């Protein structure tokens, strides 16, 4: 079997005295959707933030395409090919929609490929195309989430980290965002998805990990997890 | 009438300089939420660099316009480097410290610059030689000096340039994004530290240009000159709306007019600080975010 695209070994992250992540190991195979599910405070977001370099792990390694990421500055991690859609979307409300997309190409060397990527993003999110010159802060919650994903696509990462993309969205919009996630994956981007909506996440994912108080308690194929009684009881409402 | 027009022109000249300095306060505040109280003293250093640079270039018998241009550029570049050094050594280590620590540090850096200049160059005022042509034109009782026009025109060109950088370039976009939410910007592949460094450099280079232009109208420089002018530019930035580039420009011109019209309306020019601070307080009471400042955007 080929080397996984992203591989985390024995990752520990602490905020002061609080140990948020205690020795997580996980692999993300190229082309897959891998999901990290678990309750609030289980350490899901912290894991993503450690991959991106937004927090420094106290121990462990994050290897992406053979490169150790855990010592890199966050903007270098993006350059290495990791796109991160943060929790709460993190769009720049004081910039236009187009400026939000353009800023995401800041460190790209392949500038001649940007127009094609723009076209791809507009095809995926036609509503954003209609609102390019609008301030991003005037978008609806669903549109802001679309913009956050579109922006991550513009960094042209090989893998996209998605942190709670369904948060605060209506059921119809949740369906829509998961449809987009599947489309992006089919087009070749590997995805590491953090979700509280375990039901939806396990439907779209190939592989899953269940996190509890900073540790992985279960792992397996997404469909096996979805039918596992322990997962059903704890995260899928029985 | 002629007096009013004359004073309007003087107000535009002085206001241009205040606007150029106010930009540095507002840009740094915009991205770091830090009032860089050393900024007025950086302006003073820029004037001293101008003093030595103009002396060196004059000694080479260059044409006056070339001396002016090279003095302006030298001062802008060296002042930008100094500001980057200050940011790296004094402010960057405090990036995650409480804001008040950084503000106290800024005050300290300002005092350091003043007393370093005093200790090394002495308290004696020096005069920067005139480098711009000073022809006077008479138009119906109104005296327009070419110097005045040059100061106003060069300032406006610099402000338009800066506005273009902030509105149109990738660096400007990154600056505006950082001012909204610094934590997400690195996820866009943007090196935040470099953008912050650049912001200090650009803000200080613009203040340096203000210093060289100012010294052509008011050639006497001394180690404490940055204090009053710094405060005035700071008031300009706050009145216009701190964090807002166009607000700083507007505030600069308002303060320029306050300075020149105070002696026309009130008995003496010594009232000018009183008037300026009164305007500051009035604006803060009526519109705490300044004239063009927006109420802090709600983050969802």
């Amino acid at each position: 079997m080929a080397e996984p695209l992203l591989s985390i070994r024995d990752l520990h992250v602490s905020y002061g005295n609080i140990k948020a992540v205690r020795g997580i190991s996980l692999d993300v195979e190229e082309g897959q959707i891998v999901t990290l599910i678990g309750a609030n405070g289980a350490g899901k977001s912290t894991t993503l933030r450690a991959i991106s370099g937004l927090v420094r792990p106290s121990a462990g390694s994050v290897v992406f395409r053979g490169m150790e990421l855990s010592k890199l500055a966050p903007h270098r991690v993006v350059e290495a090919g990791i796109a991160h859609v943060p929790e709460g979307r993190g769009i720049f409300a004081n910039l236009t929609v187009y400026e939000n997309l353009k800023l995401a190409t800041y460190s790209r060397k392949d500038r001649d490929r940007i127009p094609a990527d723009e076209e791809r993003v507009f095809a995926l999110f036609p509503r954003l195309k209609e609102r390019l010159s609008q301030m991003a802060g005037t978008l609806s919650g669903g549109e802001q989430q679309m913009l956050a994903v579109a922006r991550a696509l513009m960094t042209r990462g090989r893998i996209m980290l998605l942190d709670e993309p369904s948060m605060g969205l209506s059921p119809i919009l949740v369906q829509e965002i998961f449809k987009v996630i599947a489309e992006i994956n089919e087009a070749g981007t590997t995805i590491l998805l953090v979700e509280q909506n375990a039901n939806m996440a396990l439907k779209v994912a190939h592989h899953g990990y269940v996190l509890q108080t900073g540790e992985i308690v279960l792992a397996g194929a997404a469909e096996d997890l979805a039918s596992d009684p322990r997962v059903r009881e704890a995260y899928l409402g029985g | 009438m002629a007096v009013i027009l004359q004073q309007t022109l003087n107000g535009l000249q002085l206001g241009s300089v205040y606007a150029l300095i106010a930009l540095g306060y507002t840009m740094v505040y915009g991205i770091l939420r830090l009032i860089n109280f050393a900024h007025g003293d950086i302006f003073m250093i820029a004037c001293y660099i101008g003093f030595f640079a103009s002396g060196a270039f004059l000694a080479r018998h260059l044409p006056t316009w070339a001396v002016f241009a090279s003095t302006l550029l030298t001062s802008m570049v060296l002042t930008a480097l100094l500001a980057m050094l200050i940011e790296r050594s004094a402010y960057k280590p405090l990036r995650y410290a409480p804001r008040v620590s950084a503000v106290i540090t800024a005050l300290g850096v300002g005092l350091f610059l003043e007393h370093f200049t005093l200790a090394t160059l002495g308290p004696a005022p020096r005069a920067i030689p005139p480098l711009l042509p000073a022809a006077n034109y008479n138009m119906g009782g109104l005296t327009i000096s070419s110097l005045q026009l040059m100061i106003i025109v060069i300032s406006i060109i610099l402000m338009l340039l800066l506005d273009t950088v902030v509105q149109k370039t990738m660096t400007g976009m990154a600056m505006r994004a950082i001012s909204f939410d610094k934590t997400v910007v690195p996820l866009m592949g943007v090196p935040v530290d470099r953008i912050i460094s650049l912001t200090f450099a650009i803000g200080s280079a613009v203040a340096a240009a203000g210093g060289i232009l100012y010294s052509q109208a008011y050639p006497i420089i001394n180690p404490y000159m940055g204090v009053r002018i710094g405060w005035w530019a700071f008031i300009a930035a706050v009145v216009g709306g701190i964090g807002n580039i166009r607000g700083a420009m507007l505030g600069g011109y308002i303060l320029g007019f306050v300075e020149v019209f105070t002696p026309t309306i009130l008995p003496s020019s010594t009232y000018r600080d009183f008037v300026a601070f009164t305007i500051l307080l009035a604006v803060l009471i009526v519109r705490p975010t300044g004239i063009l400042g927006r109420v802090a955007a709600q983050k969802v």
Side-chain angles (χ1 to χ4, degrees):
Chain A
M1 199 157 127
E3 280 273 293
L5 185 64
L6 176 76
S7 148
I8 296 175
R9 286 292 167 272
D10 199 27
L11 185 76
H12 290 261
V13 185
S14 301
Y15 298 111
N17 288 328
I18 301 155
K19 291 192 171 110
V21 170
R22 317 159 182 230
I24 285 182
S25 296
L26 62 83
D27 288 323
V28 181
E29 303 290 338
E30 175 131 45
Q32 287 202 336
I33 299 182
V34 173
T35 186
L36 266 178
I37 57 175
N40 223 342
K44 308 185 300 287
S45 291
T46 303
T47 305
L48 294 192
R49 292 169 60 81
I51 297 170
S52 286
L54 293 177
V55 292
R56 289 272 160 246
S58 44
S61 75
V62 178
V63 176
F64 175 68
R65 299 170 70 194
M67 191 195 303
E68 175 62 52
L69 295 185
S70 59
K71 301 277 184 294
L72 291 184
H75 68 274
R76 298 274 179 220
V77 175
V78 178
E79 274 177 55
I82 300 213
H84 185 160
V85 181
E87 191 175 3
R89 304 162 196 136
I91 62 141
F92 304 113
N94 62 334
L95 267 58
T96 66
V97 170
Y98 188 61
E99 287 173 335
N100 268 273
L101 294 174
K102 215 168 156 214
L103 188 63
T105 65
Y106 188 96
S107 62
R108 280 179 62 171
K109 308 278 184 292
D110 54 341
R111 312 229 49 105
D112 50 320
R113 287 174 70 175
I114 292 172
D117 286 344
E118 278 176 3
E119 285 314 312
R120 176 181 169 220
V121 161
F122 296 155
L124 209 52
F125 305 108
R127 256 183 311 176
L128 291 183
K129 193 180 180 183
E130 294 162 18
R131 287 162 169 60
L132 285 181
S133 55
Q134 219 167 297
M135 285 295 155
T138 65
L139 297 180
S140 71
E143 289 164 346
Q144 291 192 9
Q145 186 63 65
M146 301 295 174
L147 176 57
V149 174
R151 214 172 47 172
L153 281 174
M154 292 306 294
T155 68
R156 203 165 231 294
R158 289 273 288 268
I159 182 168
M160 190 184 287
L161 316 180
L162 281 155
D163 198 345
E164 304 274 7
S166 74
M167 195 167 65
L169 299 184
S170 71
I172 291 174
L173 285 170
V174 171
Q175 296 279 353
E176 206 174 312
I177 197 87
F178 274 98
K179 206 179 106 215
V180 165
I181 291 169
E183 275 176 41
I184 290 171
N185 176 246
E186 272 155 35
T189 305
T190 307
I191 286 172
L192 178 55
L193 170 68
V194 154
E195 258 302 337
Q196 278 198 67
N197 189 339
N199 205 6
M200 288 297 288
L202 289 174
K203 259 184 212 158
V204 74
H206 303 97
H207 209 83
Y209 291 86
V210 180
L211 229 66
Q212 206 175 314
T213 54
E215 283 168 295
I216 288 171
V217 291
L218 269 175
E223 54 202 51
D224 296 342
L225 286 179
S227 57
D228 188 299
R230 289 165 293 180
V231 176
R232 295 194 66 82
E233 194 181 333
Y235 306 107
L236 301 176
Chain B
M1 190 60 201
V3 175
I4 294 181
L5 278 176
Q6 190 71 62
Q7 289 295 66
T8 304
L9 214 53
N10 294 340
L12 281 175
Q13 172 188 303
L14 201 54
S16 298
V17 174
Y18 285 143
L20 289 177
I21 307 167
L23 284 166
Y25 279 108
T26 226
M27 289 174 75
V28 166
Y29 182 84
I31 62 161
L32 286 184
R33 299 291 178 273
L34 163 72
I35 306 286
N36 180 15
F37 280 114
H39 191 58
D41 299 301
I42 290 173
F43 162 85
M44 174 273 294
I45 299 283
C47 291
Y48 271 90
I49 294 172
F51 171 80
F52 289 111
S54 59
F57 291 126
L58 281 172
R60 292 173 164 247
H61 304 291
L62 298 169
T64 345
W65 66 266
V67 173
F68 174 76
S70 11
T71 302
L72 186 71
L73 279 178
T74 307
S75 178
M76 286 175 81
V77 170
L78 292 183
T79 307
L81 289 175
L82 171 72
M84 286 163 85
L85 178 71
I86 291 173
E87 192 274 325
R88 191 57 55 92
S89 56
Y91 301 148
K92 196 179 168 202
L94 298 170
R95 191 74 46 83
Y96 302 99
R99 282 304 74 181
V100 66
S101 311
V103 171
I104 292 168
T105 303
L107 287 166
V109 170
L111 288 170
F112 171 81
L113 293 176
E114 282 165 32
H115 292 100
F116 180 79
T117 310
L118 188 68
T120 52
L121 300 172
R126 293 160 195 252
I128 293 192
L131 303 171
L132 287 172
N136 286 332
Y137 307 99
N138 256 304
M139 292 171 72
L142 184 66
T143 311
I144 302 175
S145 79
S146 55
L147 179 66
Q148 231 167 10
L149 285 181
M150 289 285 277
I151 292 177
I152 296 168
V153 170
I154 294 174
S155 304
I156 290 175
I157 291 173
L158 281 170
M159 283 186 253
L160 290 176
L161 254 170
L162 181 73
D163 198 62
T164 310
V165 167
V166 172
Q167 297 303 327
K168 302 282 179 219
T169 68
M170 211 64 149
T171 304
M173 254 179 245
M175 286 174 179
R176 284 181 286 138
I178 292 172
S179 81
F180 184 75
D181 185 350
K182 193 164 49 178
T183 59
V184 183
V185 177
L187 298 181
M188 303 297 110
V190 177
V192 172
D193 285 342
R194 196 196 302 163
I195 301 291
I196 290 174
S197 197
L198 262 175
T199 306
F200 272 85
I202 295 174
S204 303
V206 170
I212 302 304
L213 293 170
Y214 180 84
S215 69
Q216 289 303 296
Y218 307 90
I220 306 300
I221 63 173
N222 71 67
Y224 293 116
M225 67 183 293
V227 178
R228 191 193 74 84
I229 296 169
W231 274 110
W232 275 62
F234 169 67
I235 297 172
V238 175
V239 165
I242 193 134
N244 184 305
I245 301 277
R246 290 172 189 172
M249 299 177 191
L250 175 69
Y253 284 106
I254 291 175
L255 269 283
F257 286 116
V258 166
E259 180 150 348
V260 300
F261 280 107
T262 298
T264 338
I265 298 160
L266 292 172
S268 136
S269 69
T270 49
Y271 284 85
R272 63 188 183 182
D273 288 315
F274 164 72
V275 177
F277 280 99
T278 305
I279 289 177
L280 173 68
L281 292 179
V283 167
L284 286 179
I285 290 167
V286 180
R287 224 182 129 75
T289 54
I291 298 170
L292 295 184
R294 253 161 282 155
V295 182
Q298 288 288 320
K299 280 174 218 171
V300 188

